[in-house]
């Protein structure tokens, strides 16, 4: 039994196949112990499938590592580094987070001064040993680590990406103490001392938390089960690897959504998309122009993390985002969220209005159709608490005005997020298709598309569980890299040196994939280069091929608006992305029916609030629509995992894969 589970702030989504058809199950998340909700999901899937004894392959997207880092709930870490570089985490880049704020507080380092330990050794910038690591120095360090009593150790020595001999000796000695040890040449063999040190420290910080958590997940899968964990880079790894390198799972859940959006859009015929994932606590957006965009310059909670991640931008706007007033009386929404407990007012326990409550007040959610009718929303309670909140609202005259304001503020936050990944990076959003998913994505998609000039919206089947579907469709992915800092005279002259390093990386990749059980035919290796003009501080990643120099000039012009083919170029880092190809669900196109939806699909006609007034609106149940059906707004399309709002002058049709394609007039 192969099941994918994505743990969100409000709901835990499960996706699995029954008789070749995709099915989903949503259960309320259990933030205190996310594995409890997962166990409920697996039990529910077993019941539906009638497979009570089947062996489970559980694929999982998790926010446990992200939350532990944001909330500073990781393990106690000791950092071992070259003597004289103990304070690199504090010094950083000496960049001020807020240029005009003299009193800004930087987040404290994850390792305090007492546990930042220097060891006497030195590797030169060309990889030569300047100061050898002696047995005496090793002994002193072991005793210092024991006195610090850490739960995990991070080892990051100067220039170890060129010569890891000293790091290997340290790792052997410290692992003999029974401690989990994160070593920089194993996790990130790249230059930039601050980012490399920070990444290795984050990994060590999360090892105790993710180790305990994944042990609980493996209990859910059972002794004979198998657990895979989604990585931030868009592929899965085994639970064993994820436990040792949890830094690679920081964007685990959102990455599944991006992979799912790409798969759905490709079937619908769209290769240039903006994915828009609006869940209960946050919104994640990403731009895909043919291929998944990967970045090595991420920051989570103000801490640099340089492992490969999908280029995802996150803002604190979700269905559970709380409305509040700032000191100036302006209406704000988020980033605080009601989460699963207490949840929005309409769930029966919350008392402060959320985005979900606003849509219910505007008549855009049917109280009896939420989660397919399994969970009834309390409209009377929502209106009562909204009226109490309205008494503190300066200038707002009605509950409808308050609700429309909440939706408008949330839309503005999400519109800015889409602008960051598109317009600010040289992409015109009008050339893309918006793929909207998450439980709340369909409620806001048309408004955002209209504001940005995006011509169409795709709302996939089962939008509230697309992240779980993306995890189910993901390959096993492993990323390898090595910094070289080589000048490029000509591509032909440098090619033999590049080939030599790529062959070394490929040998390691094939060995790891074979160990994971993938045959040579099921392995794919993708080569990439980080390039920059000589004298620049940052790089662009391009595919390695015969015309990699031309590809770099084109990428530079796309990102920065200019290129300079006469300027010398430098190869900074070689990257290898290794894929173990998995068996994926097969989705077949269905025969188109009439344009007119069947009468059973429309379950009521009622008023809903659009464009500042109440308008007669048709309400449909999506599961009863058929490919080829067309709908004209204003309309509301309810389904088990989400709701899609079709404003006035918008129209929708169901494509052969049961996606909703929405277009403005």
């Amino acid at each position: 039994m192969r099941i994918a589970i994505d743990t969100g702030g409000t709901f835990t989504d499960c996706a699995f196949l029954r008789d070749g058809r995709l099915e989903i199950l949503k259960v309320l998340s259990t933030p205190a112990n996310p594995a409890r909700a997962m166990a409920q999901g697996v039990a529910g899937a077993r019941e539906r499938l009638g497979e009570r004894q089947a062996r489970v392959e559980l694929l999982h997207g998790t926010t446990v590592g992200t939350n532990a880092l944001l909330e500073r709930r990781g393990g106690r870490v000791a950092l071992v580094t070259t003597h004289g570089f103990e304070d690199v985490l504090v010094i950083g880049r000496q960049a001020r987070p807020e240029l005009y704020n003299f009193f800004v507080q930087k987040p404290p380092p994850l390792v305090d001064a007492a546990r930042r330990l220097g060891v006497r050794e030195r590797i030169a910038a060309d990889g030569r040993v300047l100061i050898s690591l002696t047995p005496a120095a090793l002994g002193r360090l072991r005793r210092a680590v024991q006195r610090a009593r850490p739960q995990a150790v991070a080892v990051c020595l100067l220039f170890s990406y060129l010569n890891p001999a000293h790091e290997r000796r340290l790792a052997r000695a410290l692992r003999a103490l029974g401690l989990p040890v994160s070593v920089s040449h194993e996790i990130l063999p790249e230059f930039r001392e601050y980012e490399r040190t920070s990444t290795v420290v984050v990994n060590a910080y999360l090892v105790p938390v993710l180790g305990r958590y994944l042990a609980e997940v493996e209990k859910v899968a059972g002794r004979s089960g198998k657990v895979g964990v989604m990585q931030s880079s868009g592929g899965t790894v085994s639970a064993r690897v994820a436990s040792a390198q949890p830094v690679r799972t920081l964007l685990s859940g959102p990455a599944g959504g991006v992979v799912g959006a790409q798969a759905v859009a490709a079937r619908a015929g769209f290769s240039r998309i903006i994915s828009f994932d609006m869940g209960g606590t946050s919104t994640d957006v990403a731009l895909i122009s043919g291929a998944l965009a990967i970045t090595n310059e991420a920051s989570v909670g103000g801490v640099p993390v340089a492992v490969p991640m999908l280029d995802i931008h996150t803002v604190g706007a979700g269905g559970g985002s709380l409305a509040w007033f700032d000191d100036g009386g302006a209406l704000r929404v988020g980033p605080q969220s009601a989460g699963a407990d207490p949840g929005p007012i309409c769930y029966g326990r919350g008392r402060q209005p959320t985005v979900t409550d606003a849509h219910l007040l505007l008549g855009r959610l049917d109280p009896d159709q939420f989660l397919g009718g399994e969970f009834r929303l309390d409209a009377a309670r929502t209106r009562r608490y909204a009226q109490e909140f309205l008494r503190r609202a300066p200038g707002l005259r009605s509950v409808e005005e308050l609700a429309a304001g909440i939706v408008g503020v949330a839309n503005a936050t999400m519109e800015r997020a889409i602008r960051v990944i598109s317009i600010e990076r040289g992409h015109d959003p009008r050339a893309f298709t918006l793929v909207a998913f998450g439980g709340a994505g369909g409620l806001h998609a048309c408004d955002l598309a209209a504001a940005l000039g995006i011509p169409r919206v795709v709302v996939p089947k089962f939008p509230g569980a697309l992240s779980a579907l993306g995890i189910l469709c993901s390959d096993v992915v492993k990323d390898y890299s090595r910094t070289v800092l080589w000048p490029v005279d000509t591509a032909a002259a440098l090619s033999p040196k590049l080939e030599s390093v790529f062959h070394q990386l490929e040998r390691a990749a094939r060995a790891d994939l074979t160990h994971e059980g993938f045959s040579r035919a099921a392995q794919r290796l993708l080569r990439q280069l980080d390039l920059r003009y000589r004298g620049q501080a940052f790089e662009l990643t391009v595919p390695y091929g015969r015309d990699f120099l031309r590809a770099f000039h084109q990428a530079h012009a796309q990102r920065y608006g200019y290129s300079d083919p006469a300027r010398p170029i430098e190869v900074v880092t070689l990257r290898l992305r290794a894929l173990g190809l998995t068996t994926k669900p097969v989705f077949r196109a269905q025969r188109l029916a009439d344009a007119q939806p069947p009468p059973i699909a429309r379950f009521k006609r009622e008023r809903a609030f659009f464009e500042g007034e109440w308008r007669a609106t048709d309400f449909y149940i999506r599961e009863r629509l058929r490919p080829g059906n067309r709908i004209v707004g204003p309309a509301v399309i309810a389904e088990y995992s989400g709701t899609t709002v079709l404003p006035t002058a918008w129209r929708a049709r169901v494509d052969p894969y049961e996606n909703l394609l929405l277009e403005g007039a």
Side-chain angles (χ1 to χ4, degrees):
M1 189 180 91
R2 197 163 185 257
I3 178 170
I5 299 182
D6 174 47
T7 301
T10 306
F11 286 101
T12 293
D13 304 326
C14 311
F16 53 94
L17 296 177
R18 178 161 69 170
D19 300 327
R21 291 182 62 84
L22 180 71
E23 292 206 7
I24 65 166
L25 178 67
K26 294 176 79 73
V27 298
L28 281 172
S29 294
T30 51
N33 182 6
R36 276 188 16 236
M38 294 179 64
Q40 294 173 28
V42 171
R46 283 189 182 279
E47 185 175 341
R48 287 195 189 182
L49 294 168
E51 296 282 2
R52 298 189 182 276
Q53 302 301 322
R55 179 174 177 266
V56 174
E57 181 182 359
L58 197 158
L59 305 172
H60 181 35
T62 177
T63 57
V64 168
T66 313
N67 294 339
L69 182 57
L70 293 176
E71 298 168 15
R72 295 297 195 267
R73 292 187 292 100
R76 189 169 57 253
V77 176
L79 169 63
V80 176
T81 187
T82 303
H83 177 67
F85 289 82
E86 295 89 345
D87 294 329
V88 69
L89 285 181
V90 180
I91 297 169
R93 291 282 168 194
Q94 295 187 340
R96 288 164 60 184
E98 297 177 37
L99 190 59
Y100 298 106
N101 184 353
F102 291 107
F103 306 102
V104 65
Q105 295 291 317
K106 293 175 65 176
L110 298 178
V111 185
D112 60 33
R115 289 195 296 273
R116 299 198 295 265
L117 309 174
V119 61
R120 184 169 172 77
E121 64 81 43
R122 192 63 178 265
I123 303 292
D126 59 1
R128 291 181 298 110
V129 176
L130 292 181
I131 301 175
S132 296
L133 178 63
T134 65
L138 201 55
R140 285 193 297 271
L141 177 70
R142 281 171 56 106
R143 292 189 292 274
V145 169
Q146 287 176 309
R147 286 195 299 270
R149 302 182 64 185
Q151 295 171 297
V153 179
V155 177
C156 186
L157 303 181
L158 198 65
F159 296 114
S160 60
Y161 59 89
L162 293 173
N163 182 352
H166 288 176
E167 279 197 353
R168 290 192 178 112
R169 288 183 61 193
L170 284 170
R172 283 195 300 270
L174 295 173
R175 283 168 179 157
L177 299 176
L179 293 168
V181 180
S182 301
V183 192
S184 77
H185 77 268
E186 297 174 355
I187 293 170
L188 192 69
E190 300 179 21
F191 82 142
R192 292 201 173 95
E193 202 64 22
Y194 170 50
E195 287 78 6
R196 182 161 60 100
T197 304
S198 175
T199 302
V200 178
V201 165
V202 169
N203 193 80
Y205 187 72
L206 297 179
V207 162
V209 176
L210 262 291
R212 289 193 300 267
Y213 172 67
L214 290 177
E216 291 293 317
V217 174
E218 288 182 308
K219 290 179 184 177
V220 173
R223 287 187 179 181
S224 62
K226 179 181 177 183
V227 176
V229 181
M230 192 70 179
Q231 298 181 99
S232 309
S233 60
T236 60
V237 289
S238 66
R240 175 184 57 81
V241 174
S243 296
Q245 298 193 9
V247 70
R248 299 186 185 275
T249 70
L250 285 172
L251 294 183
S252 176
V258 176
V259 173
Q262 184 189 39
V264 165
R267 283 199 304 274
F270 305 112
S271 60
R272 306 186 75 198
I273 66 169
I274 294 172
S275 71
F276 165 56
D277 177 6
M278 184 178 180
T281 56
S282 63
T283 292
D284 305 302
V285 295
L287 184 141
I288 301 172
S289 185
L292 295 174
I294 305 289
T295 182
N296 301 87
E297 301 172 15
S299 176
V300 180
V303 180
V305 178
V307 294
M309 294 184 176
L310 292 180
D311 196 358
I312 300 171
H313 185 61
T314 301
V315 291
S321 293
L322 295 166
W324 53 285
F325 295 100
D326 65 16
D327 293 340
L331 178 65
R332 304 285 187 179
V333 178
Q336 301 85 1
S337 173
D341 185 14
I345 298 171
C346 57
Y347 285 14
R349 294 191 300 273
R351 297 189 175 188
Q352 187 172 348
T354 66
V355 174
T356 297
D357 296 314
H359 282 290
L360 183 62
L361 292 169
L362 296 173
R364 300 175 184 180
L365 289 174
D366 184 86
D368 299 317
Q369 291 297 325
F370 196 73
L371 282 183
E374 295 180 5
F375 190 102
R376 193 178 190 284
L377 302 179
D378 193 334
R381 185 177 191 273
T382 304
R383 181 165 287 274
R384 185 171 69 252
Y385 278 101
Q387 287 171 339
E388 289 185 12
F389 186 79
L390 190 63
R391 296 191 189 105
R392 308 195 300 270
L396 294 177
R397 297 182 299 274
S398 67
V399 166
E400 290 78 14
E401 193 173 348
L402 169 66
I406 292 172
V407 171
V409 172
N411 282 343
T413 300
M414 295 181 290
E415 181 187 338
R416 285 195 298 272
I418 295 176
R419 288 180 180 274
V420 167
I421 61 157
S422 58
I423 295 170
E424 292 185 16
R425 298 181 185 176
H427 298 280
D428 186 345
R430 295 172 296 182
F432 290 80
T433 296
L434 188 69
V435 179
F437 55 101
L443 292 167
H444 297 258
C446 292
D447 288 342
L448 293 174
L452 292 160
I454 299 173
R456 73 189 64 81
V457 174
V458 175
V459 182
K461 185 179 181 181
F462 302 136
L466 190 71
S467 292
L469 172 61
I471 296 168
L472 198 64
C473 294
S474 296
D475 295 313
V476 169
V477 174
K478 295 178 179 293
D479 292 290
Y480 304 81
S481 61
R482 185 173 302 173
T483 293
V484 292
L485 296 172
W486 288 337
V488 180
D489 296 321
T490 65
L494 189 60
S495 182
K497 294 173 68 176
L498 295 175
E499 289 289 337
S500 175
V501 176
F502 274 125
H503 285 320
Q504 294 174 38
L505 298 178
E506 287 172 352
R507 280 197 298 272
R510 291 202 182 277
D512 288 345
L513 289 176
T514 301
H515 182 70
E516 294 264 0
F518 291 96
S519 66
R520 187 72 173 250
Q523 300 176 12
R524 297 288 184 275
L525 304 179
L526 307 176
R527 298 174 169 187
Q528 295 176 311
L529 295 175
D530 285 2
L531 302 173
R532 65 186 181 189
Y533 290 123
R534 192 89 54 83
Q536 286 185 321
F538 291 94
E539 308 79 48
L540 292 174
T541 303
V542 299
Y544 174 62
R546 186 177 303 172
D547 296 324
F548 71 85
L549 294 178
R550 185 171 67 177
F552 168 71
H553 293 307
Q554 291 173 343
H556 200 279
Q558 169 76 45
R559 175 64 65 90
Y560 301 113
Y562 76 98
S563 63
D564 187 356
R567 189 170 175 178
I569 292 175
E570 187 175 30
V571 174
V572 177
T573 301
L574 285 73
R575 301 190 182 279
L576 183 73
R577 190 169 173 84
L579 284 71
L581 305 182
T582 60
T583 303
K584 299 174 179 60
V586 177
F587 301 97
R588 294 182 174 85
Q590 299 187 35
R591 188 165 55 88
L592 297 181
D594 295 335
Q596 184 67 29
I600 195 174
R602 194 182 78 166
F603 67 93
K604 72 175 183 179
R605 182 174 176 83
E606 211 167 81
R607 294 193 314 153
F609 201 81
F610 288 100
E611 291 85 41
E613 63 182 13
W614 291 95
R615 297 172 181 261
T617 302
D618 291 322
F619 285 71
Y620 294 87
I621 294 177
R622 182 170 178 179
E623 289 85 353
R624 298 174 184 173
L625 296 173
R626 295 292 174 261
N629 290 170
R630 295 175 180 268
I631 297 172
V632 176
V636 173
I637 305 169
E639 60 181 299
Y640 175 74
S641 68
T643 299
T644 300
V645 167
L646 197 66
T648 308
W650 278 75
R651 54 188 180 274
R653 64 182 174 89
V654 185
D655 79 354
Y657 295 98
E658 300 181 85
N659 302 308
L660 288 176
L661 301 185
L662 317 179
E663 294 180 330

